[in-house]
Amino acid sequence: MARARLTWRTRTGRVVLSSCGALVALALIAGGYYWWGGPREHRAAQQVLDEACDGVLPSREMRDVLGDGPFAKGPGRVDVLLSGEDADHARDRGRTVTCTVTGDGVPVAGDDGNEAEVQVTVQRVPQRRGDDFAVDRASVRARGTDPLYPRPAAELPPVGLGGGWRGLFTTGESATDTGRADSSGATVVTLLDCARDRGGLLVTVDAKDEDVTLDDPRRRAAFARIATGTAAKASEKWGCDAGPGKPLRTVALPVNADESVPLADASGTCEGVPGRGGRIARAWESASSDSPVEVCVVAGERPELPAREPSNESPRYHLTAFYGPYADSERRDYTRRHGEYAEKPGPADAPAGPLAGGGRWASAVCRDGSGPALFTVRDEGAWRENRSSTYDEHRVKPSAADRAYERAALEEFARRSARAHGCAAPELS
């Protein structure tokens, strides 16, 4: 029996050969997509992560927020970098790297993706003696208004990371914010103590993901793991050899503006702060933790203020504890704002005293190589209704009772915070 030959001249041959050609074309298209749109695209996205911030970004953690790519790399915090040749020299020594990476985000229900951005800054922190609160005034003049370290917003108390990590998480909300519906961004800080008295590493991450609320604990943990993952990689690459904390599975949500508690019930950063005879009644606080910035905000009546109704829900006294690089940065900023030639000493000149414009500061010796801690109290409710650049004309002068309360509140706040951080008893004037 003769075999049928499949040729273009027969109808069957044309059908079979056409089908084979279509399959070959589909295979070529699929192969091309796999090569050009699969591994090649993946490699291009991975290359962005490998090159950004001197290669210390954690790939998996970044993808958990930014998606699988493509990614775009950009500059980070230019304000914390030194200028000119000093900046290049600092980067060569691995002292400061900063970068921004953007992506399409991780798809959520009802959406294909959301614009997401992660900005990372990694900085070396020098070793300091526990009683060395002086600052380099020449460097203060040289930097101008540029901060030495990025300072996280802390109008309301941030929360600690937990898990053995020395760090904080904040959404930067203010005392006038009453909801989190539109909150999609956060700042995460991780501070590592390097081995063998080699200073430390400070990692600051600003992350945001459009249309994703941070009420979801998985998103908060995903943001925080970028900071801890970066810290671990930077520690290994830069010879810090710090002991890392545990993998973070959850991070608490920072306190909101409508989440004050009775001061008498305070059990965190505001615990023990006096109530001034019942006139200070409410508190915004976070749980006490190993955070480099701790905040307590208390509220109470201010009947002597004109054109303003008394309210025990209006934030008044703001107490803040600064540790390590943040204490150093706060002293520098105070020196810049109030003049290095001021007649009265400031936090960079003495361990304790009154702040310019009201309030007080105190210091505590810390023996972990991060330098002395700094504690401040400010009466944020002392402004009159109409503010202006003329400070003294639009601020209620503190009475002797005001000053006595500020000292008592600062003493208790600083004492508890310093003890929790393993520092000596604070020195007050």
Side-chain angles (χ1 to χ4, degrees):
M1 182 176 179
R3 293 182 178 178
R5 298 182 61 189
L6 297 179
T7 67
W8 193 257
R9 295 180 180 180
T10 65
R11 182 173 181 273
T12 303
R14 288 194 295 272
V15 172
V16 173
L17 292 176
S18 297
S19 300
C20 291
L23 290 174
V24 171
L26 288 173
L28 290 174
I29 292 173
Y33 176 80
Y34 174 80
W35 178 252
W36 295 101
R40 187 175 186 273
E41 183 178 278
H42 182 84
R43 286 198 301 272
Q46 186 61 43
Q47 184 177 1
V48 172
L49 298 181
D50 291 342
E51 293 177 351
C53 275
D54 200 27
V56 297
L57 298 184
S59 175
R60 183 181 63 184
E61 289 80 354
M62 292 288 288
R63 290 178 182 273
D64 286 344
V65 172
L66 298 176
D68 291 329
F71 302 137
K73 181 181 65 173
R77 296 178 180 272
V78 296
D79 55 344
V80 301
L81 290 175
L82 301 177
S83 59
E85 296 180 358
D86 289 339
D88 295 332
H89 183 55
R91 283 193 292 268
D92 289 342
R93 291 186 289 123
R95 194 170 84 178
T96 298
V97 295
T98 182
C99 62
T100 299
V101 181
T102 57
D104 291 333
V106 177
V108 296
D111 198 352
D112 293 334
N114 312 287
E115 180 71 12
E117 179 181 282
V118 175
Q119 182 173 248
V120 180
T121 301
V122 187
Q123 295 170 277
R124 280 279 194 185
V125 177
Q127 188 85 359
R128 292 180 66 94
R129 296 198 321 271
D131 59 349
D132 180 16
F133 47 76
V135 301
D136 183 352
R137 298 182 184 274
S139 68
V140 172
R141 291 192 298 269
R143 295 191 68 88
T145 60
D146 291 343
L148 185 62
Y149 305 102
R151 181 179 175 183
E155 184 175 342
L156 288 174
V159 296
L161 293 183
W165 293 96
R166 188 181 186 188
L168 62 86
F169 184 101
T170 178
T171 58
E173 295 180 12
S174 70
T176 59
D177 295 329
T178 58
R180 295 193 179 95
D182 298 327
S183 178
S184 61
T187 298
V188 188
V189 167
T190 304
L191 178 60
L192 293 182
D193 295 324
C194 297
R196 295 180 291 280
D197 299 330
R198 284 180 286 176
L201 285 179
L202 178 67
V203 177
T204 307
V205 173
D206 290 305
K208 61 181 179 181
D209 193 350
E210 293 181 354
D211 301 326
V212 174
T213 175
L214 290 177
D215 285 338
D216 184 349
R218 294 171 298 180
R219 303 313 295 159
R220 299 196 300 271
F223 285 3
R225 285 194 293 265
I226 292 178
T228 58
T230 299
K233 290 192 68 173
S235 175
E236 180 180 0
K237 183 169 184 176
W238 292 359
C240 174
D241 298 330
K246 299 177 181 178
L248 292 178
R249 300 186 181 278
T250 183
V251 176
L253 195 60
V255 64
N256 197 17
D258 59 0
E259 295 176 341
S260 64
V261 299
L263 181 60
D265 297 337
S267 60
T269 53
C270 290
E271 182 179 2
V273 173
R276 197 174 180 181
R279 291 178 60 185
I280 303 297
R282 307 292 297 182
W284 290 261
E285 63 171 359
S286 61
S288 297
S289 63
D290 194 11
S291 172
V293 178
E294 293 182 342
V295 175
C296 164
V297 181
V298 293
E301 296 181 358
R302 190 72 192 238
E304 66 270 29
L305 280 176
R308 181 181 297 178
E309 295 182 0
S311 172
N312 64 359
E313 291 290 339
S314 300
R316 180 171 177 184
Y317 290 102
H318 202 103
L319 298 116
T320 309
F322 303 97
Y323 293 91
Y326 295 109
D328 188 22
S329 185
E330 187 71 9
R331 289 184 174 96
R332 288 170 177 266
D333 188 55
Y334 184 93
T335 300
R336 177 188 62 79
R337 285 184 288 111
H338 297 286
E340 58 178 308
Y341 302 111
E343 295 181 3
K344 297 182 179 180
D349 307 303
L355 293 168
R360 306 188 69 82
W361 89 88
S363 300
V365 173
C366 301
R367 299 177 179 85
D368 60 358
S370 64
L374 176 66
F375 310 94
T376 62
V377 57
R378 298 180 186 275
D379 186 353
E380 302 295 346
W383 289 98
R384 297 183 185 274
E385 190 69 19
N386 297 318
R387 292 192 181 192
S388 79
S389 58
T390 309
Y391 189 89
D392 290 338
E393 293 181 4
H394 295 271
R395 192 178 194 280
V396 173
K397 298 296 184 181
S399 64
D402 291 333
R403 291 192 293 270
Y405 176 77
E406 289 175 357
R407 190 185 190 285
L410 180 62
E411 181 178 18
E412 184 62 23
F413 170 77
R415 183 184 67 83
R416 288 180 179 270
S417 181
R419 184 175 60 184
H421 284 256
C423 301
E427 182 174 348
L428 283 87
S429 60

